[in-house]
Amino acid sequence: MTKLIMTFPVTETSHTLASYRSRGGYATLERVVREMRPEDVTREVTAAGVQGRGGAAFPAGRKWSVIKLNDGQPHYLCANADEGEPGTFKDRWILENAPHLLLESMLIAAYALQVRHAFVYMRGEFDLPYRRLASAIDEATAAGLMGERILGSAFDCDVLIYRGAGSYVCGEASALLTSIEGKRGYPRNRPPRLTVRGLYQRPTVVNNVETLSNITGIVRDGAAAFRAVGTADSPGTRLVSVSGHVNRPGVHEIDLGYAFERLLDDCGGVLDGRALKAVIPGGISSKVLTGDEIMPLALDHESLAAAGSSLGSGGMIVIAEGTCMVRLLQVMLRFYHHESCGQCTPCREGMGWLHRIIDRIVAGEGRPEDIDRLYRISAANDGTTICGLGDAAGYATSGILNKFRPEFEYWIEHKRSRFDGNLVCRASS
Amino acid sequence: MSASPTFASLVPEFDALRRRFPPGFESSLVLPCLRRLQEAWGHVEDSDIAALAEYLAVPRVQIEEALSFYGQLRREPVGRWHVEVCRNVSCSLRGAETLLERLSSKLGLAPGDTSADGRFTLSTCECLGSCGTAPVVLVNGVYHENASAPEIERMIEGLERA
């Protein structure tokens, strides 16, 4: 398997500047500022075909190409480190273990996009990731790799960390920018695109931490080398974070197209040797797949789309046989209700309705028509709101209902769970 | 109302922060300043809202809106030890519900409550990106991963004596 990001053994000091430099760190930035033009960098990134690793899989090069160089106004770059999609903890690995890879990549991106100030928007709860990145910024600044006249060139750039304060929706790119403006993190209507009017109405690129962390390697080794990994339509690797009912949860870097079955093996299989009931493959906003559906799949964007789901944020949640899917959906809907920002009526009201209906079913007061109601409210969000939060809750709901409807019917009819309301793997808890 | 001594003591830090941001980014300083005030004082005082609005030349309502929107920011004090249990999907699959019940009974507090002596607050929180090391409990913002009930109970006993 190819490693583009998890290329080194993690030790007590592997996150430091000295260690990063011993692995060839910042040599690519040096070459970029000495020898390359901004448009050359963007051309390489576009040719590599690297897709966004935050969930939407939008090609980064296409996003960058919208930025007009030398247009006389400031441009901004934001790394989305708001990692909050339940089941996802891969960007945290980069922030804690490879902060300089992110910084070098951001500086290269900032050079390509003519950015003087770049931001890392980091979720407010992250503690060690914040301390590691802040110290990496101090190290890089002291070494002349950041700030004014970087490596003796005419390129000036500073990277600032902006810490959130506990809001899931701020991981949505436009809400993230509104939050950096010091306001409530409300998503904005598009158009205009953020690359046209973003932070303080200036052209802004928002890329996921993992997406950006691929930039150094792409520029160093070339687009062709990147495309040699993964599949034709999904080049490169992905960091997947595996959690739930597996023996060895954790972050794995896989070539896109890697077999799910092998990944499950790599994680030591399902807890207690149980059968695999279901997998949520890309954060809870991606549609659930049954064990039988995902077992033969290759992990790439095309295969998962064909199976009716997505690789999303790479947050893979493994669910063992014996788990109650009604309770699982209840946990998810409580979360979406809690995190709806309240701007759009279908989401503000719909999230409350979904949450109350599932609570009612779990309380043994469900009505036979409640299942259709859950479907109807889910569909009412699709495409009718500014951001995707309500859509995602709807996909999660209809996804679970499609695959596990009998469990809901059972609870409504018998006023109890078919699986004792169980969420944990009993034998191991 | 005049600003608290906390606010006054933090002004040099706020000035330094201001210099690090690009010109015209005063509005952006709302969140970092609120976070810093809360870190220093445990919550954000009403009097400091006005002082911050004046200091940054932003509308007071913007600060009030931020305070009511962001889950980590608070205008009321919490206990000296703030215990938060993640209740999202991966933590629930790894026993967060039982853990929360046990901490609740250990502390004699329902989630959301603060003990009468002001020592403990028990809360639930949403996904902290600790799904691979679930369940996770935060104590005053510090992650305790792969948390087991006996281990957290022992820690609480230690804090009770502290």
Side-chain angles (χ1 to χ4, degrees):
Chain A
M1 250 195 313
T2 321
K3 301 288 178 201
L4 301 177
I5 290 174
M6 300 171 85
T7 51
F8 56 94
V10 172
T11 66
E12 297 260 296
T13 56
S14 53
H15 60 278
T16 60
L17 177 60
S19 178
Y20 184 65
R21 284 200 129 155
S22 75
R23 301 192 294 268
Y26 288 104
T28 311
L29 174 67
E30 183 154 8
R31 206 186 95 219
V32 165
V33 299
R34 297 246 160 93
E35 298 169 13
M36 290 178 80
R37 295 175 306 164
E39 50 271 41
D40 300 335
V41 177
T42 299
R43 193 173 309 118
E44 207 61 39
V45 170
T46 306
V50 56
Q51 295 153 310
R53 264 71 169 142
F58 190 82
R62 256 170 58 200
K63 209 182 255 187
W64 290 22
S65 303
V66 180
I67 301 292
K68 288 195 181 65
L69 299 179
N70 308 311
D71 62 353
Q73 59 175 331
H75 304 157
Y76 298 112
L77 169 70
C78 298
N80 187 343
D82 197 47
E83 186 158 70
E85 178 65 24
T88 316
F89 48 100
K90 64 179 179 77
D91 295 334
R92 183 179 160 193
W93 190 95
I94 296 175
L95 296 163
E96 288 180 1
N97 297 303
H100 283 289
L101 176 64
L102 173 64
L103 290 178
E104 180 175 12
S105 293
M106 286 184 75
L107 290 164
I108 293 169
Y111 179 82
L113 301 167
Q114 296 184 329
V115 166
R116 173 68 183 83
H117 291 95
F119 297 86
V120 178
Y121 186 92
M122 192 186 293
R123 57 173 309 163
E125 298 87 350
F126 272 168
D127 174 30
L128 182 61
Y130 168 73
R131 285 185 280 123
R132 285 274 169 89
L133 188 67
S135 109
I137 287 174
D138 290 345
E139 285 180 310
T141 307
L145 298 162
M146 198 181 287
E148 293 182 351
R149 305 192 57 78
I150 290 172
L151 291 160
S153 73
F155 172 51
D156 302 336
C157 182
D158 279 290
V159 178
L160 289 91
I161 305 175
Y162 198 89
R163 302 180 80 183
S167 163
Y168 168 70
V169 80
C170 287
E172 195 274 344
S174 66
L176 183 154
L177 299 183
T178 317
S179 182
I180 298 184
E181 291 174 7
K183 299 173 187 154
R184 283 186 165 191
Y186 283 153
R188 307 180 194 167
N189 265 314
R190 260 65 64 89
R193 282 185 286 183
L194 303 178
T195 40
V196 177
R197 286 179 185 276
L199 186 59
Y200 290 106
Q201 302 296 310
R202 302 297 190 178
T204 304
V205 166
V206 182
N207 283 143
N208 169 263
V209 164
E210 182 190 348
T211 315
L212 281 167
S213 298
N214 274 293
I215 299 302
T216 300
I218 288 170
V219 174
R220 183 187 60 227
D221 303 329
F226 186 76
R227 281 199 164 276
V229 182
T231 69
D233 293 322
S234 298
T237 63
R238 275 298 297 263
L239 298 187
V240 289
S241 48
V242 186
S243 67
H245 297 151
V246 287
N247 282 306
R248 288 193 302 273
V251 181
H252 294 254
E253 181 168 17
I254 58 165
D255 291 27
L256 279 156
Y258 194 67
F260 170 78
E261 196 173 356
R262 287 177 65 192
L263 178 63
L264 187 60
D265 269 353
D266 297 342
C267 297
V270 180
L271 275 180
D272 304 324
R274 297 231 184 167
L276 179 65
K277 179 169 188 171
V279 172
I280 301 174
I284 67 166
S285 300
S286 66
K287 283 194 176 180
V288 68
L289 296 171
T290 65
D292 290 343
E293 286 173 320
I294 198 166
M295 239 358 172
L297 285 189
L299 296 172
D300 55 56
H301 298 293
E302 312 79 74
S303 305
L304 282 152
S309 187
S310 91
L311 212 46
S313 64
M316 196 167 284
I317 304 173
V318 174
I319 299 157
E321 202 56 70
T323 308
C324 175
M325 300 305 279
V326 181
R327 292 287 329 285
L328 194 75
L329 182 62
Q330 185 190 26
V331 169
M332 289 159 66
L333 291 178
R334 181 180 61 199
F335 169 71
Y336 285 116
H337 182 209
H338 184 257
E339 299 297 336
S340 173
C341 83
Q343 263 195 119
C344 310
T345 307
C347 176
R348 182 184 61 240
E349 303 303 322
M351 294 307 106
W353 294 338
L354 290 174
H355 182 191
R356 285 193 290 274
I357 291 171
I358 194 86
D359 275 359
R360 174 163 91 196
I361 293 173
V362 168
E365 292 158 13
R367 305 163 198 172
E369 64 273 22
D370 278 348
I371 294 177
D372 287 337
R373 237 182 229 127
L374 290 171
Y375 268 120
R376 212 166 47 243
I377 298 164
S378 298
N381 264 278
D382 203 358
T384 58
T385 49
I386 294 173
C387 85
L389 188 148
D391 298 357
Y395 300 153
T397 305
S398 59
I400 288 187
L401 286 173
N402 287 343
K403 307 284 165 68
F404 302 100
R405 183 174 181 134
E407 289 187 37
F408 291 78
E409 291 169 342
Y410 185 96
W411 201 318
I412 292 169
E413 191 189 333
H414 300 278
K415 304 189 185 306
R416 62 186 168 83
S417 168
R418 215 165 121 188
F419 297 99
D420 294 331
N422 191 35
L423 290 176
V424 296
C425 248
R426 282 263 181 252
S428 64
S429 62
Chain B
M1 261 190 299
S2 59
S4 68
T6 309
F7 187 95
S9 71
L10 291 175
V11 165
E13 271 188 54
F14 294 167
D15 288 342
L17 196 63
R18 210 169 184 157
R19 284 191 295 273
R20 295 195 61 194
F21 275 73
F25 270 56
E26 282 70 22
S27 171
S28 293
L29 298 181
V30 168
L31 278 187
C33 290
L34 287 175
R35 284 186 61 105
R36 189 65 191 89
L37 282 164
Q38 179 165 300
E39 188 181 276
W41 191 239
H43 66 280
V44 178
E45 289 279 312
D46 285 353
S47 59
D48 290 344
I49 297 173
L52 186 60
E54 192 185 335
Y55 173 78
L56 295 175
V58 301
R60 183 188 163 116
V61 67
Q62 181 184 338
I63 298 174
E64 303 247 9
E65 283 190 346
L67 282 165
S68 66
F69 182 81
Y70 293 97
Q72 283 189 296
L73 300 177
R74 49 181 183 258
R75 298 176 69 161
E76 302 294 333
V78 288
R80 180 172 164 207
W81 304 105
H82 188 193
V83 181
E84 299 175 80
V85 181
C86 172
R87 57 173 182 178
N88 213 293
V89 172
S90 298
C91 282
S92 296
L93 293 174
R94 287 292 195 151
E97 295 187 340
T98 311
L99 183 63
L100 179 62
E101 278 166 26
R102 285 193 46 177
L103 294 185
S104 184
S105 102
K106 175 89 190 163
L107 292 165
L109 294 173
D113 286 353
T114 299
S115 60
D117 62 5
R119 288 167 78 80
F120 287 97
T121 297
L122 180 66
S123 310
T124 55
C125 62
E126 297 299 348
C127 187
L128 296 169
S130 189
C131 320
T133 41
V136 62
V137 175
L138 288 186
V139 179
N140 285 6
V142 176
Y143 281 56
H144 296 269
E145 302 180 89
N146 294 311
S148 72
E151 175 203 346
I152 302 290
E153 283 169 350
R154 268 199 306 279
M155 185 173 66
I156 285 172
E157 283 160 18
L159 297 177
E160 277 167 345
R161 288 191 297 269

